[in-house]
Amino acid sequence: MPVNIFLTFIIGSALGWILIKITKTPEHLRGMVIGCCSAGNLGNLLLIIVPAVCTESNTPFGDSCSTYAEAYASLSMAVGAIFIWSYAYPFVYAYASKSMEQNSSEEAPQLFPDSCTEALLPSSDCSNSEDYSGQGVLPLTNSDGRIKIPVVKNTVERIKIIMGKIDLKRVFAPSAIAAVVGFIIGTISPIRKVLIGDNAPLHVVDTSVSLIGEAAIPCMTLIMGANLLKGLKGSEVSMLVIIGIVAVRNIFLPLLGIGVVRAARHFGMVGSDSLYQFVLMLQYALPPAMSVGTMTQLFQSGQGESSMIMLWTYAVASISLTLWSTLFMWLLS
């Protein structure tokens, strides 16, 4: 499942990059477009859809459906949270910060008087700046005046910058931490016997946690609705960009997901559990993650545009998810 989710991000970001080149998206919105195309809502939607499918009397997934449905959805949510903040977050940050740097550089000349044109020199008096003409020698440059930087060194430095911008507090979101705790409890038999089961001594802890967790889905749904409401106010995002993101998330990714899961099944990388394959396919058909909108709010860049994109993608997803879920179940039945 982690490999499959990683593939959704890789394929989605590649399609987002193609969309940026075709639509010539403004630079400050490019990170958001890549984030919307790569990061799917692997949280509350899967927790709603997968258990709901298992409640049907004629479900094609058999008796094991109710046993593993929430486990598969919870694992998907935890892994997705890690990838969203470690993979999509650097893209949004990079383009947003670059846009802010350009805006600040355009406003910088206004901070200095017209009589002083050498603001980068250490001297506070422009008339004495000749004494520092020998300082600040630039590295070797080519004929165009550009600094020569080895390709390998440049690549390593870029990777270090991106890794340095990853916020571990956001990568290990509460859902991811809860999944890790669940793995520990589930795999260590003595702890599992103490907490899980009707006759467990600390069964009340399990019941209390389950009761609190049931309120998470409606709370997340309310937050999602509040974020979508902002899209009704309009934005400057191009309709072509919106159509492109809707096509990527609701047409191209699900089709490619069918091929990826079928190929994994053919090469023996996925077992015969049809419910598990259904979850893997469904991960490609989900709308963009609401966390992308949170990122735009953090950087104060593209908030209205992200709300508009979320509004249209979720409106279309209300229909497309039903169609794709039906097709996936038909293929696996």
Side-chain angles (χ1 to χ4, degrees):
M1 186 177 290
V3 175
N4 187 70
I5 294 176
F6 182 64
L7 287 176
T8 65
F9 279 77
I10 292 293
I11 298 173
S13 58
L15 294 176
W17 181 82
I18 296 174
L19 177 62
I20 287 173
K21 295 300 181 181
I22 294 175
T23 59
K24 297 181 180 179
T25 307
E27 189 167 10
H28 69 285
L29 298 178
R30 292 179 180 178
M32 180 194 64
V33 172
I34 294 178
C36 290
C37 291
S38 60
N41 191 338
L42 300 171
N44 57 327
L45 286 182
L46 276 180
L47 285 172
I48 295 173
I49 296 172
V50 179
V53 171
C54 292
T55 58
E56 298 293 331
S57 58
N58 57 345
T59 177
F61 303 125
D63 298 333
S64 63
C65 186
S66 58
T67 305
Y68 298 107
E70 291 187 1
Y72 291 155
S74 300
L75 176 61
S76 177
M77 179 178 63
V79 176
I82 295 175
F83 278 116
I84 287 171
W85 291 101
S86 62
Y87 185 93
Y89 178 81
F91 282 106
V92 179
Y93 174 84
Y95 283 104
S97 60
K98 188 175 181 180
S99 176
M100 288 187 291
E101 290 176 359
Q102 291 178 350
N103 293 336
S104 60
S105 63
E106 292 176 358
E107 297 174 358
Q110 301 177 3
L111 302 177
F112 300 95
D114 296 337
S115 59
C116 183
T117 59
E118 302 183 18
L120 295 179
L121 294 177
S123 175
S124 60
D125 187 2
C126 294
S127 60
N128 297 329
S129 60
E130 295 179 357
D131 299 334
Y132 301 94
S133 58
Q135 297 183 4
V137 180
L138 294 173
L140 293 176
T141 58
N142 56 19
S143 59
D144 297 332
R146 298 179 180 178
I147 300 175
K148 293 181 178 179
I149 301 178
V151 177
V152 177
K153 183 178 180 181
N154 187 26
T155 304
V156 172
E157 291 297 326
R158 288 181 178 272
I159 294 175
K160 288 182 178 180
I161 292 173
I162 293 175
M163 295 302 295
K165 300 303 180 183
I166 296 177
D167 192 345
L168 293 180
K169 292 183 179 179
R170 299 189 182 278
V171 170
F172 292 99
S175 58
I177 297 175
V180 173
V181 174
F183 292 152
I184 295 174
I185 295 174
T187 54
I188 300 178
S189 180
I191 301 178
R192 185 175 68 250
K193 292 179 180 179
V194 172
L195 292 173
I196 309 300
D198 296 336
N199 299 324
L202 298 179
H203 177 64
V204 64
V205 176
D206 178 36
T207 306
S208 301
V209 172
S210 177
L211 182 63
I212 296 174
E214 290 177 354
I217 294 178
C219 288
M220 289 189 292
T221 305
L222 288 173
I223 295 173
M224 182 177 65
N227 290 330
L228 294 179
L229 183 62
K230 298 178 182 179
L232 295 175
K233 299 178 181 179
S235 66
E236 298 178 356
V237 65
S238 170
M239 184 57 66
L240 189 60
V241 174
I242 297 176
I243 295 174
I245 295 176
V246 170
V248 168
R249 298 264 14 146
N250 295 281
I251 299 176
F252 298 114
L253 271 177
L255 289 174
L256 292 172
I258 295 175
V260 170
V261 177
R262 283 300 183 101
R265 172 70 188 279
H266 177 73
F267 291 105
M269 300 175 65
V270 177
S272 58
D273 187 355
S274 58
L275 175 63
Y276 186 65
Q277 297 180 40
F278 174 75
V279 174
L280 295 180
M281 290 183 181
L282 197 61
Q283 289 169 350
Y284 288 88
L286 298 170
M290 299 303 300
S291 299
V292 178
T294 304
M295 297 174 194
T296 60
Q297 294 175 4
L298 290 175
F299 304 123
Q300 299 294 316
S301 176
Q303 301 175 71
E305 288 79 1
S306 66
S307 298
M308 177 65 75
I309 291 172
M310 295 296 174
L311 177 64
W312 283 102
T313 51
Y314 275 78
V316 176
S318 63
I319 301 174
S320 65
L321 270 177
T322 303
L323 299 177
W324 283 115
S325 299
T326 304
L327 177 61
F328 295 157
M329 287 188 288
W330 178 75
L331 292 173
L332 296 172
S333 60

